[in-house]
Amino acid sequence: MTGAQKPRVAVHKFSSCDGCQLAFLNLGENLLTLAGRVELVHFAEAGPLDPESEVDIAFVEGSVSTSEDLERIQHIRAHSRLLIAIGACATSGGIQALRNGVFDAGWVTQIYSHPEAIASLERSTPIASHVKVDFELWGCPVSGPQIVAVVNALLLGVAPRDNVDKVCTECKRQGHPCVMVTRGIACMGPVTRAGCGALCPGLGRDCYGCYGPAENANTDALAAQFKSLGLTPRAVVHRFQSINSQAPAFLAAADTIRRRGDD
Ligand code: SF4
Ligand code: SF4
Ligand code: SF4
């Protein structure tokens, strides 16, 4: 990229639901501003199609779940100056990673009328398991304001801010009543990475951890708290084994509960 050229940007889809790409499309006026500042080379949801091109910034949604994904991510990495993984699928393997470790080929036969057409790998894995990732945006889906902040930072040539605080900090700052303290509802906010603006507690419900683990997440303490609220060990495991089941801190929390033999 020379000074006169606009940065070339691509948005790629892997195994995913497209929800994080929609977060881009839902940027509204910000998307129009962004479109004026960059050259959008590839973004199938929005129109431009050129997945093979060299780009300055590649946003990647989705997990690596097929052998074709394995090849494609290598190609994208080799042709992108910066690669940004967006969303839980890309950062932890996503909901489709629930099959990891328990995959049974018999399920495919039971579910699909043409199982021979299914080419899934046994494991769904995050982008960083395969190539160098320059920045990760967590969430299911990622939030629009976070996308804007990351793009602005990259266009200014500075490192985007990685928010590793807990949802509780955003929740308290906004003055939401704590659903766990006031109503005894099991909330994942104390171990979940901030960035959504404490969306769920703001609507009177618990956080279910869609932003993945925060830094220094005390999962042991939260598991004990969930138990004191009446959750069975199995129910506690299920709280950690959800959208970000393969994120190391949540995987370790579930394994610890299982190892104790409670599950
Ligand atoms: S992280 Fe969630 S919203 Fe984004 S693509 Fe994956 S399933 Fe969809
Ligand atoms: S409602 Fe959840 S996120 Fe908010 S303070 Fe309580 S535990 Fe934390
Ligand atoms: S409160 Fe929790 S579950 Fe709700 S959007 Fe935020 S991180 Fe996701």
Side-chain angles (χ1 to χ4, degrees):
M1 178 179 65
T2 70
Q5 288 175 324
K6 289 180 183 175
R8 291 164 60 80
V9 172
V11 182
H12 295 278
K13 171 187 166 64
F14 280 69
S15 298
S16 58
C17 82
D18 290 19
C20 290
Q21 293 180 77
L22 286 178
F24 269 90
L25 293 177
N26 288 339
L27 288 176
E29 204 174 309
N30 280 321
L31 183 63
L32 295 177
T33 308
L34 174 66
R37 296 172 69 197
V38 302
E39 184 185 350
L40 208 44
V41 177
H42 173 75
F43 187 1
E45 282 271 358
L49 278 179
D50 187 2
E52 306 292 328
S53 263
E54 296 273 341
V55 294
D56 296 294
I57 308 170
F59 290 95
V60 176
E61 173 202 82
S63 67
V64 172
S65 287
T66 66
S67 38
E68 188 253 338
D69 286 346
L70 276 173
E71 284 177 25
R72 199 156 54 92
I73 195 60
Q74 299 295 342
H75 177 90
I76 290 168
R77 177 68 270 186
H79 292 81
S80 310
R81 191 168 61 80
L82 295 171
L83 190 155
I84 316 295
I86 55 166
C89 298
T91 52
S92 78
I95 199 80
Q96 58 272 35
L98 284 170
R99 71 172 181 271
N100 294 7
V102 293
F103 182 82
D104 178 347
W107 295 345
V108 179
T109 317
Q110 287 164 20
I111 294 167
Y112 298 100
S113 54
H114 290 285
E116 70 281 3
I118 306 298
S120 299
L121 300 170
E122 287 189 15
R123 295 171 59 79
S124 165
T125 42
I127 301 301
S129 294
H130 304 279
V131 294
K132 175 176 173 266
V133 169
D134 297 293
F135 192 75
E136 290 185 327
L137 257 184
W138 290 68
C140 180
V142 290
S143 83
Q146 275 193 311
I147 294 172
V148 172
V150 167
V151 171
N152 283 338
L154 294 177
L155 294 183
L156 287 170
V158 298
R161 177 174 170 260
D162 196 11
N163 191 347
V164 292
D165 271 354
K166 297 163 177 77
V167 172
C168 287
T169 59
E170 293 183 315
C171 191
K172 291 295 93 191
R173 247 182 247 129
Q174 294 182 26
H176 300 317
C178 176
V179 299
M180 192 139 69
V181 171
T182 60
R183 291 160 55 203
I185 298 173
C187 179
M188 291 285 284
V191 297
T192 299
R193 159 189 290 259
C196 69
L199 197 58
C200 300
L203 296 169
R205 61 152 296 167
D206 55 296
C207 166
Y208 51 92
C210 88
Y211 268 58
E215 193 174 58
N216 300 323
N218 191 342
T219 51
D220 276 352
L222 189 63
Q225 168 69 4
F226 284 177
K227 205 170 166 188
S228 77
L229 291 174
L231 269 68
T232 63
R234 177 163 294 217
V236 179
V237 166
H238 287 167
R239 294 313 305 261
F240 290 105
Q241 291 294 274
S242 177
I243 289 165
N244 289 292
S245 66
Q246 303 301 299
F250 288 178
L251 190 59
D255 284 347
T256 300
I257 298 164
R258 290 197 187 103
R259 256 201 318 277
R260 287 183 190 138
D262 295 334
D263 180 31

